[in-house]
Amino acid sequence: MGKKTAKSIFNLMAPRNEGKGKRAMNRGAWTPDEDRKLAQCIQTHGAKRWKAVALKSGLNRCGKSCRLRWLNYLRPNIKRGNISDEEKDLILRLHKLLGNRWSLIAGRLPGRTDNEIKNYWNSHLCKKVNQKDEKPETSTTQETVGQNQNAVDRGAMLEKEVAVNEIDNLDVNFDVDEFFNFSEEPSGFDWLNKYLELEHIPETTKSL
DNA sequence: AACAGCCACAACCGCCTTAGT
DNA sequence: GACTAAGGCGGTTGTGGCTGT
């Protein structure tokens, strides 16, 4: 990460299927104004009933799009960028356990989204794991590597309960209660207003 | 300086699951 | 129980910026 400027972040996506005239929905990159409207609507109506949110916000967006934008970027307590070594290690371990079940993995990394983890995996960790896979004799620290394919199969078969039990046995130190505590939210939407006022450049993004 | 290829990542797509009737 | 709509998830795509030549 860290290669994106604020400008690129907010203008990254040109609308797809433009000119195809398939739908009249807005698509592509979200504008700060749309973010603001969506946040205000969610503040009023809550982060559920996405179709209703999409309609009431006045955004010409589908519910899915609103949900994604909220969950991945606007929701409180979200962490952006700077994935620590600890988090990296945890992702590797959880991926070994669960396979490509990004939402489950994200659920155990407070503040991280499934999309972010998925992207991080695909652009960073996936290559590393594959590299080590090709040179198993060099892997000294990671018993996690080299078993990745099995992990995917295994992960696909694991039920949540099993996964949680296994995770409890990992030698990574973390507070389980904290792990599953998603209730804590900052009061109000001050953070969002600041975010939007700062010409939409979160500190975490700026430093990348 | 110009170009090509690569990288990072936001957003869309389609399938599956869940909830409501 | 069957049907439908909405939500959730993982895979994939498209784009701008970066880097190397």
Side-chain angles (χ1 to χ4, degrees), chain A residues 76-173:
Chain A
N77 284 349
I78 206 151
K79 280 192 223 168
R80 311 281 306 144
N82 290 335
I83 293 191
S84 66
D85 289 343
E86 223 171 83
E87 286 175 311
K88 199 190 302 180
D89 185 56
L90 198 49
I91 291 169
L92 281 165
R93 288 166 179 274
L94 289 169
H95 187 270
K96 184 198 166 194
L97 265 178
L98 303 168
N100 294 357
R101 296 168 81 172
W102 307 114
S103 62
L104 278 179
I105 294 172
R108 283 148 186 81
L109 286 155
R112 300 295 184 185
T113 68
D114 55 353
N115 207 34
E116 186 178 17
I117 290 170
K118 181 170 58 181
N119 281 330
Y120 187 73
W121 176 269
N122 287 331
S123 55
H124 295 87
L125 302 179
C126 188
K127 289 173 198 164
K128 280 188 189 176
V129 168
N130 287 339
Q131 274 174 8
K132 289 188 180 180
D133 224 1
E134 288 169 13
K135 304 175 189 174
E137 71 276 10
T138 60
S139 72
T140 54
T141 57
Q142 297 280 353
E143 75 283 2
T144 63
V145 220
Q147 304 170 1
N148 194 42
Q149 190 54 52
N150 289 341
V152 173
D153 298 337
R154 184 174 156 217
M157 287 159 36
L158 283 172
E159 293 301 327
K160 279 186 188 178
E161 290 298 321
V162 177
V164 169
N165 289 338
E166 289 198 39
I167 288 162
D168 284 342
N169 295 328
L170 293 174
D171 57 347
V172 176
N173 292 325

Side-chain angles (χ1 to χ4, degrees), chain A residues 10 28-51 53-54 57 59 61-80 111-116 182-193 195-196:
Chain A
F10 282 92
W30 282 70
T31 65
D33 193 48
E34 285 179 311
D35 283 345
R36 197 174 290 115
K37 282 181 183 172
L38 178 61
Q40 279 170 359
C41 189
I42 287 171
Q43 195 173 6
T44 309
H45 298 101
K48 277 284 173 186
R49 311 284 309 175
W50 291 107
K51 198 176 181 182
V53 167
S57 64
L59 299 165
R61 297 264 185 183
C62 68
K64 276 187 172 188
S65 183
C66 293
R67 174 184 164 272
L68 204 67
R69 184 65 183 172
W70 174 256
L71 290 179
N72 287 339
Y73 301 96
L74 301 177
R75 127 178 104 95
N77 284 349
I78 206 151
K79 280 192 223 168
R80 311 281 306 144
R112 300 295 184 185
T113 68
D114 55 353
N115 207 34
E116 186 178 17
F182 301 107
S183 59
E184 54 183 67
E185 303 209 341
S187 57
F189 284 65
D190 294 346
W191 65 272
L192 178 64
N193 293 330
Y195 167 84
L196 291 168

